[in-house]
Amino acid sequence: MDAINTLATITQLLGIFVQERRETEDLQKQQFFDWLERHRHEEIKDLICNTHHLSEQVDAILREGQTRILAELHTVNSTLTQLMSGLQALSHLAQAFAPEVTLSDFAKAALCHFEDSGETNMITLPDGSGVQFGNSGTIEHEDPRFLDDDMDALAACGFIAQIAHHTGYSVYRLTRQGATYARHLKEQAISST
């Protein structure tokens, strides 16, 4: 199993373990190892046990507290679903499992325009009708009531980061991850035509 798949597997197993033990206040690493054995995940257990820094990190995560662990795992799942929704082969699977998490057409268009523009900032228009990219134009939102939702979804995925908030508007910067995802969306659009 490669490192990315291993990380995803450990993350998901930790989430399941924590959810099953909502009543337990103090989760211990050994409880997690026992749980892995009972559920026939010996390979993962052995990897964690035999990798000192990984074992320490699992222990640190379990000490964080269930509420925080579950909230952060929810963020991980949402971000993963967002990424999967942009991959042609997996988009229908992501839509079926979590249709509420996928990016809107406006959010995707704004991200791609941000990448294409070369601008350093994206600014929400004060009237909430869309976004502006420096001197590179604006994009109107089809339903301004949901502009904040789209900006929040892009930020939750790590595609943009808010750098300022003023009365009536916010300023965002494009992240490296956002630029990469925007290029992927554009390549996908080209290949599907």
Side-chain angles (χ1 to χ4, degrees):
M1 204 182 305
D2 67 32
I4 300 296
N5 285 331
T6 303
L7 174 62
T9 301
I10 291 171
T11 302
Q12 291 304 313
L13 291 172
L14 272 167
I16 294 167
F17 170 74
V18 170
Q19 283 182 321
E20 284 184 6
R21 285 167 173 67
R22 285 184 185 254
E23 304 302 317
T24 307
E25 288 187 27
D26 187 28
L27 296 174
Q28 301 294 319
K29 181 172 56 175
Q30 189 57 49
Q31 292 171 318
F32 180 54
F33 292 158
D34 294 343
W35 182 87
L36 287 172
E37 278 186 17
R38 278 194 312 279
H39 290 86
R40 303 186 198 292
H41 295 290
E42 290 88 1
E43 183 181 341
I44 295 292
K45 177 195 165 239
D46 291 343
L47 175 69
I48 296 169
C49 287
N50 295 326
T51 310
H52 180 67
H53 64 280
L54 188 55
S55 179
E56 287 179 342
Q57 291 306 312
V58 167
D59 197 35
I61 289 169
L62 291 173
R63 285 194 307 262
E64 284 290 327
Q66 292 178 356
T67 304
R68 182 166 176 183
I69 293 169
L70 292 174
E72 290 186 5
L73 289 173
H74 176 73
T75 301
V76 167
N77 289 334
S78 296
T79 303
L80 179 61
T81 304
Q82 290 282 4
L83 292 171
M84 286 175 60
S85 71
L87 302 173
Q88 194 167 13
L90 301 174
S91 63
H92 296 296
L93 182 63
Q95 186 73 26
F97 274 101
E100 75 285 354
V101 181
T102 56
L103 291 173
S104 71
D105 290 340
F106 174 83
K108 291 176 186 176
L111 186 66
C112 290
H113 191 89
F114 201 176
E115 162 64 12
D116 289 342
S117 74
E119 296 287 345
T120 56
N121 294 328
M122 174 174 61
I123 303 166
T124 57
L125 296 173
D127 64 359
S129 63
V131 292
Q132 178 178 355
F133 305 91
N135 294 323
S136 300
T138 61
I139 296 180
E140 297 287 321
H141 201 290
E142 64 277 0
D143 191 340
R145 295 177 300 167
F146 304 117
L147 177 63
D148 288 341
D149 291 346
D150 289 336
M151 296 297 103
D152 291 345
L154 287 168
C157 290
F159 297 155
I160 61 173
Q162 187 177 58
I163 56 175
H165 177 74
H166 305 284
T167 303
Y169 69 96
S170 296
V171 182
Y172 298 88
R173 69 172 176 80
L174 183 65
T175 65
R176 178 174 285 134
Q177 183 179 355
T180 301
Y181 188 66
R183 287 191 293 272
H184 170 75
L185 288 173
K186 291 182 287 186
E187 289 169 7
Q188 184 180 9
I190 291 169
S191 68
S192 66
T193 56

